[in-house]
Amino acid sequence: MSRFRWSSPFSFILAAGGAAVGLGNIWKFPYITGMNGGGAFVLMYLLCIFLVGVPIFIAELYIGQSAQANTVKAFHHLKPNSYWGFSGYLGVASAFIILSLYGVVSGWILDFEFQALTGKLLQGTSKTVNSQLTGLLASPVRQIFWFLIFIFTSGLVVALGLKRGLERWNKILMPLLFLMLIGLFTFSISLDGFAPALKFMFNPDFSKLTSQALLEAIGHSFFTLSLGIGVIMIYGSYLSPKESLPKIAFSVALLDTFVAIVAGLIIFSIVFTFGLDAKSGPELIFVTLPNLFQQMPGGSLLAIIFFLLISFAALTSAISILELLVSYLVESHGWSRNNAVLSASFGSFLVGLLNVFSYF
Ligand code: PFF
């Protein structure tokens, strides 16, 4: 059977964009920007993306594209009979661990979306809203339920195969994600906090920049572009050997950066409209935002759109990690796609349980 190929460079950009755009853009980027003082950190982040991230992105794509094989085989192809092959296995192990952590936090997002849809998220006093996250973290059953739903949905998309699963679902979910993002952004422009948000993100104050922030910017540029474990390599292996790489790599990086910056502007516009502190950390979207949604006209609808947007972003990233694991089991061990999906999802679910119980 011939190996799958993306049907066009645009399909590839959507799929790789789907892998890149995720919790990292909408959850992590705004909160680390808030914690590291804004503008100067954003500038460092942009430099890291385009000076470090894009060249590595091209390199990963190139290794995959020239090997036309999964990540473990691709490293063997790069230098046969050397220890380089070990990097491929490291990537597989890391993908497994990342998926198990990513799945748990994505489960929280699904739980919040469900609460928003049923009207419970913003019900009661601001104290009740504040305690939504604490309530969820104290309930392993609720966390495990949504984690399972998330892993199951990701597994379903990957089991459908590359054409009917990954390519098709990225083509559906990514434009929807953009529509929602632009909708929320248009709304945020009308808020009093929009101008302060622009100033916070684009007016660098270098006195706030620490060496820790610099490390965070580099680390995050890898995470947000899905670099370092082979996800971009495996997506690159489904590209025709004739495709030129720099342009498509640059397009994916632009798309990913655009989403992070716009998500940051949306979130900080809301935060500054209510005169709150931008430094609340990982709780920013789980505590601060719902609290603000509660005080805004139309806040319930905003909450529904916001958590749906992040669910889509998380799903298109999780399927890329799962594809890396599945392609390894199928191509290197001859497993059927269905068995590979089942084992990889179930395995990361089991590892993720450790994470769930660590909050309890
Ligand atoms: N890039 C994703 C995000 O920003 O949420 C996370 C991610 C996906 C990291 C795939 C690593 C990976 F291989």
Side-chain angles (χ1 to χ4, degrees):
M1 211 173 81
S2 69
R3 211 163 177 272
F4 166 82
R5 287 264 165 84
W6 302 111
S7 51
S8 64
F10 182 67
S11 302
F12 168 81
I13 291 171
L14 278 188
V21 171
L23 297 177
N25 304 61
I26 306 168
W27 174 50
K28 195 165 172 219
F29 174 73
Y31 91 67
I32 54 177
T33 299
M35 290 173 78
N36 288 300
F41 176 79
V42 172
L43 191 66
M44 285 304 127
Y45 168 76
L46 291 177
L47 288 177
C48 291
I49 290 280
F50 291 100
L51 298 182
V52 184
V54 171
I56 296 180
F57 198 101
I58 297 174
E60 270 204 33
L61 279 183
Y62 180 69
I63 298 174
Q65 185 195 35
S66 57
Q68 298 281 305
N70 71 41
T71 49
V72 171
K73 286 189 172 178
F75 277 106
H76 283 301
H77 170 91
L78 197 64
K79 195 159 193 322
N81 304 321
S82 71
Y83 290 114
W84 275 104
F86 186 65
S87 314
Y89 292 109
L90 265 184
V92 169
S94 315
F96 206 65
I97 295 169
I98 293 185
L99 184 60
S100 60
L101 297 171
Y102 207 78
V104 173
V105 180
S106 304
W108 300 352
I109 303 279
L110 290 188
D111 180 278
F112 269 58
E113 173 66 8
F114 179 72
Q115 305 291 339
L117 279 170
T118 51
K120 290 209 189 92
L121 186 67
L122 309 181
Q123 224 172 40
T125 60
S126 114
K127 222 171 163 181
T128 341
V129 175
N130 279 344
S131 62
Q132 288 283 0
L133 182 64
T134 333
L136 175 62
L137 294 185
S139 164
V141 176
R142 230 167 101 190
Q143 285 191 69
I144 291 170
F145 175 76
W146 289 110
F147 177 27
L148 254 183
I149 299 274
F150 182 79
I151 285 284
F152 181 78
T153 314
S154 314
L156 213 60
V157 174
V158 178
L160 281 172
L162 285 147
K163 194 153 213 68
R164 284 174 44 231
L166 275 88
E167 185 164 298
R168 193 213 273 155
W169 281 98
N170 273 305
K171 264 190 189 151
I172 298 174
L173 296 178
M174 289 303 285
L176 284 176
L177 185 149
F178 267 90
L179 264 181
M180 290 190 273
L181 191 77
I182 298 301
L184 288 179
F185 181 65
T186 314
F187 166 79
S188 72
I189 294 177
S190 69
L191 295 174
D192 292 342
F194 185 71
L198 269 181
K199 187 157 174 258
F200 179 69
M201 285 187 70
F202 296 116
N203 195 356
D205 173 358
F206 288 98
S207 66
K208 291 195 176 137
L209 207 59
T210 59
S211 52
Q212 187 57 36
L214 215 63
L215 261 185
E216 185 121 55
I218 295 188
H220 188 62
S221 67
F222 271 70
F223 183 78
T224 192
L225 291 176
S226 306
L227 295 174
I229 63 169
V231 159
I232 295 307
M233 205 178 289
I234 188 70
Y235 273 22
S237 79
Y238 299 131
L239 272 172
S240 147
K242 285 194 233 105
E243 213 62 72
S244 151
L245 303 179
K247 215 162 74 191
I248 50 182
F250 192 70
S251 313
V252 176
L254 263 186
L255 194 147
D256 185 72
T257 308
F258 174 79
V259 175
I261 300 279
V262 172
L265 284 174
I266 295 171
I267 292 173
F268 290 122
S269 299
I270 302 178
V271 168
F272 293 141
T273 299
F274 291 90
L276 282 175
D277 188 7
K279 290 201 220 69
S280 57
E283 294 189 345
L284 188 62
I285 66 161
F286 292 108
V287 179
T288 314
L289 267 195
N291 218 312
L292 301 180
F293 284 144
Q294 194 195 34
Q295 301 170 45
M296 295 169 76
S300 331
L301 182 65
L302 287 177
I304 293 173
I305 301 178
F306 183 78
F307 286 105
L308 191 64
L309 166 85
I310 316 185
S311 317
F312 285 1
L315 182 63
T316 53
S317 294
I319 56 180
S320 71
I321 310 178
L322 200 52
E323 175 59 28
L324 185 155
L325 297 170
V326 167
S327 68
Y328 165 66
L329 294 172
V330 171
E331 285 182 6
S332 292
H333 294 283
W335 290 27
S336 73
R337 193 166 179 91
N338 284 348
N339 278 348
V341 170
L342 212 66
S343 314
S345 341
F346 190 64
S348 18
F349 171 70
L350 289 183
V351 178
L353 287 183
L354 295 177
N355 189 22
V356 168
F357 284 106
S358 72
Y359 294 107
F360 186 55

